[in-house]
Amino acid sequence: MTPNGTAIRAIRRSQHLSLREVAARTGRDVGFLSRLERGQSGASEETLRRIAAALTVPVAAINREEQP
């Protein structure tokens, strides 16, 4: 997973949200969000802002690098 995808999935799951719910909040496709979480797709800054808003977290929370 990409660092963004790892963070997004962790936050989404901690809030008990489905991919479908986040997709509805962001206007993005469920398949795209799934690929993003699995590191198979990247996201623009605008998309990251939309996802952060949907998860009610700052962009920095989903744009952080993973710690080794």
Side-chain angles (χ1 to χ4, degrees), residues 28 43-51:
R28 298 300 190 248
S44 68
E45 284 299 315
E46 173 61 24
T47 296
L48 292 178
R49 282 193 292 274
R50 286 180 182 228
I51 293 169

Side-chain angles (χ1 to χ4, degrees), residues 4-66:
N4 291 341
T6 301
I8 292 166
R9 179 176 281 175
I11 294 166
R12 178 180 63 78
R13 287 182 172 174
S14 75
Q15 295 180 8
H16 307 288
L17 295 172
S18 69
L19 280 171
R20 187 179 308 263
E21 290 170 307
V22 176
R25 292 179 183 188
T26 61
R28 298 300 190 248
D29 182 73
V30 171
F32 167 76
L33 292 173
S34 177
R35 289 188 301 277
L36 179 63
E37 285 188 355
R38 290 181 282 132
Q40 297 176 342
S41 182
S44 68
E45 284 299 315
E46 173 61 24
T47 296
L48 292 178
R49 282 193 292 274
R50 286 180 182 228
I51 293 169
L55 298 174
T56 62
V57 297
V59 173
I62 63 171
N63 206 19
R64 61 180 160 73
E65 294 294 323
E66 287 185 293

